[in-house]
Amino acid sequence: MATTINPKFSKKLTDYGAFDLNACYNCGNCTAVCSLSTEDDSFPREMVRYSVIGLESEIESSLKPWLCYYCGECSETCPREANPGELMMSLRRWLTAKYEWTGLSGLLYRSLPISIAFFVLVLAGVIALAFYEKFDAEKIMHFGHYFEMFAIAGVFTFILLPNIIRMWWLTVIKPKHKVKFSSYITQFWEFLVHMFTQKRALGCDDNQVRWFEHLILVIGYLSLLFTTVFLDWFGTDNMAIIVLGYVESAVIFIVTFLFMSERMTKSKELSKHSHPSDWFFVIWLFLMGLSAFAVRIFIDTDLLTNNFWLYLAHLTILVQWALIIVPFGKWTHFLYRSFAMYFDALKKAN
Ligand code: SF4
Ligand code: SF4
């Protein structure tokens, strides 16, 4: 594989949240403390050096930024405050932009005003829809229900799937890793296990609580998605489904509230530095859980018809989430991390 050196890479990376990489004087403390490091594998110093030198092609083909579970220990022990943990996070954002074929992801990561413009555009679209439908609650709720189905199918088919193929191309095929076809089948469980259990976050000794929070957030999010899209939570009279949706949305807004508190108080190393995309992710997930919960309460107390603004607010949050954060924002990290574990297992198996 041809090596590309970009002398401006470290500067470019600061647009994705990295700090002053040139502060690193290569002492190796971060590697000594990182539990992922082995004799042959230097974590995270290799990525720090590659970033300083500008070895863009090496970083592009690496899965290492995705294997880091951001415990923050390397940043805590760095004597130069070069923040290697945050560097790994910035590389994940940069890689997300690399895999993403439309270029929108990189644009949104690099520019807060453009991100805000996209959110405002969606808000304007929902208001226009409401006017077009003459604020007919039934028609708009019908649209909202079908939007979720089409958004899931469309975003997956046209954005996420091509991006995963690009990730596979860049990290497995282009660097010429030989992988037997049978390994793609035998190792697929790695993808499923990591996607549904998030067990990578258990890698750090004091990460048990964080792992549990992530796990119940993933379960709450996926099951609320299933309950609203396939069990029609807002339209059903089935008490079991109604209660299930309440529990799932409550789980989402409680866990995301805790995440937001951590970011606001900067109580942990990993929550000390928040890129706008981190805030968008956690705030929108919180608002989704909260607004879904409130809409269902208003339905159950017959208040929604006279307070239809609440459903429009929920629909706006939902559409912004589905068309901005899921395809182009931090949501994709959840997917790429799971695929990185799978691709890493493929390489190791061969
Ligand atoms: S601990 Fe800091 S200064 Fe030392 S190698 Fe790691 S990033 Fe560089
Ligand atoms: S954040 Fe933790 S897992 Fe990631 S490179 Fe640093 S020490 Fe290793």
Side-chain angles (χ1 to χ4, degrees):
M1 189 179 68
T3 300
T4 317
I5 292 184
N6 178 357
K8 294 190 179 145
F9 184 74
S10 60
K11 167 90 183 56
K12 185 160 79 174
L13 210 54
T14 56
D15 291 341
Y16 291 85
F19 290 79
D20 180 16
L21 302 185
N22 296 318
C24 168
Y25 62 178
N26 211 9
C27 68
N29 281 6
C30 52
T31 298
V33 81
C34 178
S35 52
L36 297 173
S37 277
T38 62
E39 255 179 42
D40 310 318
D41 235 350
S42 154
F43 250 99
R45 193 165 47 150
E46 183 183 75
M47 284 295 122
V48 178
R49 294 319 301 162
Y50 284 1
S51 303
V52 172
I53 298 166
L55 284 175
E56 209 170 314
S57 52
E58 302 289 331
I59 297 171
E60 183 185 87
S61 64
S62 176
L63 292 168
K64 282 187 175 177
W66 298 109
L67 305 183
C68 156
Y69 37 74
Y70 204 176
C71 62
E73 282 183 39
C74 53
S75 289
E76 277 167 14
T77 53
C78 175
R80 303 278 292 172
E81 296 188 2
N83 267 301
E86 193 56 27
L87 165 76
M88 296 298 261
M89 186 70 213
S90 309
L91 288 175
R92 288 192 281 278
R93 294 184 195 117
W94 180 79
L95 285 172
T96 302
K98 270 276 161 187
Y99 305 152
E100 205 274 303
W101 68 271
T102 67
L104 273 177
S105 201
L107 199 61
L108 298 180
Y109 271 126
R110 291 192 302 268
S111 171
L112 180 59
I114 293 179
S115 300
I116 293 172
F118 270 75
F119 281 92
V120 173
L121 206 64
V122 170
L123 169 68
V126 172
I127 294 172
L129 170 86
F131 271 103
Y132 179 76
E133 296 292 1
K134 299 185 176 59
F135 290 88
D136 183 322
E138 202 176 317
K139 278 189 186 165
I140 296 170
M141 288 185 77
H142 193 252
F143 167 86
H145 183 58
Y146 282 97
F147 168 81
E148 288 182 277
M149 288 188 204
F150 287 114
I152 292 171
V155 165
F156 181 75
T157 310
F158 298 111
I159 306 289
L160 299 179
L161 188 59
N163 293 349
I164 291 161
I165 294 171
R166 279 164 69 88
M167 179 189 185
W168 168 72
W169 172 262
L170 290 170
T171 59
V172 179
I173 301 301
K174 200 173 162 196
K176 296 191 169 52
H177 290 290
K178 295 210 179 339
V179 179
K180 285 190 211 135
F181 181 73
S182 58
S183 299
Y184 282 98
I185 298 161
T186 55
Q187 298 301 320
F188 193 66
W189 65 272
E190 280 285 346
F191 169 73
L192 297 176
V193 167
H194 286 281
M195 180 126 204
F196 292 106
T197 69
Q198 299 285 296
K199 82 179 174 98
R200 185 73 179 171
L202 273 171
C204 184
D205 290 345
D206 54 7
N207 254 358
Q208 318 299 322
V209 174
R210 186 170 156 237
W211 166 76
F212 185 68
E213 286 171 344
H214 274 93
L215 181 69
I216 58 171
L217 185 60
V218 168
I219 293 171
Y221 170 71
L222 292 177
S223 50
L224 182 62
L225 198 65
F226 183 82
T227 308
T228 50
V229 175
F230 299 106
L231 303 181
D232 192 13
W233 186 40
F234 290 151
T236 187
D237 293 326
N238 184 312
M239 189 49 73
I241 297 173
I242 293 171
V243 173
L244 181 68
Y246 274 129
V247 173
E248 291 159 348
S249 51
V251 164
I252 292 175
F253 75 73
I254 290 169
V255 177
T256 47
F257 179 77
L258 294 175
F259 285 175
M260 285 197 297
S261 315
E262 281 174 12
R263 287 202 178 274
M264 278 189 274
T265 56
K266 302 179 189 281
S267 54
K268 294 179 182 165
E269 183 60 43
L270 59 103
S271 52
K272 274 187 186 158
H273 310 285
S274 298
H275 186 271
S277 59
D278 299 325
W279 281 115
F280 284 136
F281 178 80
V282 74
I283 291 174
W284 255 254
L285 203 44
F286 169 79
L287 291 176
M288 283 230 299
L290 185 63
S291 63
F293 193 93
V295 166
R296 186 64 234 195
I297 286 187
F298 273 47
I299 292 172
D300 291 336
T301 50
D302 287 331
L303 289 171
L304 192 66
T305 318
N306 292 330
N307 294 280
F308 197 60
W309 58 269
L310 179 64
Y311 182 77
L312 289 179
H314 172 69
L315 185 62
T316 305
I317 294 161
L318 178 74
V319 179
Q320 288 165 332
W321 173 262
L323 297 187
I324 302 172
I325 298 172
V326 171
F328 308 114
K330 196 177 175 181
W331 187 94
T332 52
H333 292 205
F334 161 70
L335 198 66
Y336 295 142
R337 268 190 191 283
S338 310
F339 272 100
M341 297 305 294
Y342 175 44
F343 296 156
D344 192 52
L346 289 179
K347 290 181 191 179
K348 286 181 178 148
N350 291 274

